[in-house]
Amino acid sequence: QGPVVGGWYRILDQLIPGTTKVVAVKKMVMDQGAFAPCFLGCFLAITGAMNGLSAEENWSKIQQDYMDALLTNYCIWPPVQVANFYFVPLKHRLAVVQCVAIIWNCYLSWKAN
């Protein structure tokens, strides 16, 4: 996921330039409003397919898990991302996110399986 997230951060910096607190909040809103829901849906769909679920079983599993995972995402990632966008230079943001993602990915793997 590193290249995808790293590319997303570069896009965010182009769309919303700057490093103020307001800019950090705007980037977080874009990240959590656009990227996170799509990324989470793709993660669950790919995990289900890799686990051998049929299309119908996969869709049912996504419907069962998506909202709970998304709400959990919103408890963890907004404060992390505001701090990341405000305090951390672009070239180091991915590293910060990957540290938190170790725990997040454990949760997602548990949820998906």
Side-chain angles (χ1 to χ4, degrees):
Q1 71 192 23
V4 174
V5 175
W8 171 243
Y9 289 164
R10 285 188 294 280
I11 290 169
L12 274 179
D13 266 15
Q14 291 173 355
L15 292 174
I16 309 169
T19 57
T20 66
K21 290 177 186 175
V22 171
V23 166
V25 170
K26 286 180 181 179
K27 287 179 182 179
M28 181 277 296
V29 169
M30 286 285 295
D31 181 65
Q32 294 301 300
F35 185 80
C38 294
F39 186 83
L40 181 58
C42 290
F43 176 88
L44 292 173
I46 291 168
T47 302
M50 297 293 283
N51 284 336
L53 298 179
S54 69
E56 294 81 18
E57 292 169 328
N58 203 4
W59 178 243
S60 177
K61 180 86 170 122
I62 291 168
Q63 289 178 312
Q64 174 186 326
D65 294 342
Y66 182 81
M67 284 308 297
D68 186 47
L70 187 62
L71 292 174
T72 303
N73 170 86
Y74 289 149
C75 292
I76 296 169
W77 286 107
V80 170
Q81 291 296 53
V82 168
N84 199 26
F85 293 133
Y86 184 63
F87 295 111
V88 181
L90 175 61
K91 65 182 179 179
H92 299 300
R93 287 182 192 153
L94 187 58
V96 169
V97 166
Q98 292 306 311
C99 291
V100 177
I102 291 169
I103 296 165
W104 175 245
N105 290 338
C106 289
Y107 165 77
L108 279 183
S109 294
W110 170 79
K111 189 71 173 163
N113 292 296

